[in-house]
Amino acid sequence: MQSRRGILFILSSPSGAGKSTLARRLMNWDNTLSFSVSATTRNPRAGEIEGREYFFRSHNEFVQMVDNNEMLEYAEVFGNFYGSPREVVENTIVEGKDVIFDIDWQGGQQIRNSGLASDVVSIFILPPSLKELQERLRGRGQDTDEVIQNRMEKCREEINHWAEYDYCLVNRKLDDTEEDLKNILKAERLKKCRQLTLEGLVSNLYNEVDLKS
């Protein structure tokens, strides 16, 4: 019997606050972690590969997946749809493996309100300041000034949802935030509600006590 059921480890933040980098670092630290690859209707960026960064789908294909209840969560962000295919995630946690989600507050809210809510550990990543967040977005060199402005305008709405999460970390230094995330994951894995073999072990201990009496 496997020792525990997997965890749905949700990371959310305003764009540019570091959740994607932190998710990659966690994956490098523990290769048993699975990354929930999202489906999206946006166009691939340079270097992105189908099935690695995203499953790239047309608008009609995405809507069909939603209609067929194939999405665990989905949302429209900056004119494009993003969502997490359900089947792979459910199969992974049943096998006792943890899944990392790099999603926004809307997706996190949907998963926390789903039938998998008891498997969720959610962390919101805050930037130390909006000025630094804007500098990070410009430093990535991925977006136009107009897109960056749109992301900054949306940032306030996203930050408003920080209190809905189990944990909230301020990402001042990536190394420190990474260590905090590792500690959270270690502690959550050890919670008694997640350890499926504990009840049987305790029962055996009681039996051993009876044998000695």
Side-chain angles (χ1 to χ4, degrees), residues 191-207:
K191 280 188 173 179
K192 63 183 181 182
C193 62
R194 302 192 194 282
Q195 298 188 57
L196 303 180
T197 59
L198 269 185
E199 188 172 344
L201 173 62
V202 172
S203 178
N204 289 337
L205 290 174
Y206 276 119
N207 289 336

Side-chain angles (χ1 to χ4, degrees), residues 41-192:
T41 59
R42 79 158 170 78
N43 293 325
R45 291 172 179 159
E48 290 183 333
I49 296 173
E50 166 71 15
R52 187 181 70 181
E53 281 78 17
Y54 289 98
F55 297 112
F56 296 99
R57 298 292 181 264
S58 69
H59 179 86
N60 289 339
E61 288 172 333
F62 194 100
V63 170
Q64 187 65 51
M65 292 177 74
V66 172
D67 290 343
N68 292 340
N69 197 31
E70 296 174 20
M71 289 294 187
L72 182 59
E73 58 80 26
Y74 71 95
E76 185 177 4
V77 182
F78 301 117
N80 291 300
F81 283 105
Y82 296 80
S84 303
R86 176 187 299 275
E87 184 177 7
V88 174
V89 172
E90 291 180 339
N91 290 342
T92 301
I93 62 170
V94 167
E95 293 171 359
K97 298 176 183 178
D98 301 324
V99 184
I100 294 181
F101 287 81
D102 172 359
I103 54 178
D104 71 356
W105 68 267
Q106 297 175 78
Q109 193 175 77
Q110 289 178 58
I111 296 177
R112 292 195 304 274
N113 292 333
S114 75
L116 300 178
S118 61
D119 300 306
V120 170
V121 175
S122 58
I123 300 96
F124 197 89
I125 309 296
L126 286 170
S129 70
L130 292 185
K131 180 181 178 181
E132 184 163 336
L133 180 66
Q134 187 173 47
E135 290 174 353
R136 290 179 186 176
L137 289 172
R138 293 191 185 284
R140 294 194 310 192
Q142 295 178 342
D143 301 311
T144 64
D145 288 344
E146 182 181 358
V147 169
I148 290 173
Q149 183 60 37
N150 288 338
R151 292 188 187 281
M152 292 302 300
E153 290 174 358
K154 192 173 179 61
C155 177
R156 184 184 299 275
E157 177 189 357
E158 293 169 329
I159 289 175
N160 281 340
H161 294 272
W162 70 273
E164 300 170 10
Y165 286 71
D166 299 317
Y167 301 89
C168 189
L169 302 177
V170 180
N171 185 23
R172 296 184 176 88
K173 293 183 179 179
L174 270 173
D175 289 346
D176 292 343
T177 308
E178 179 185 357
E179 286 304 310
D180 289 340
L181 287 173
K182 289 177 183 177
N183 290 332
I184 290 171
L185 184 53
K186 291 175 187 176
E188 289 290 340
R189 285 171 167 173
L190 291 172
K191 280 188 173 179
K192 63 183 181 182

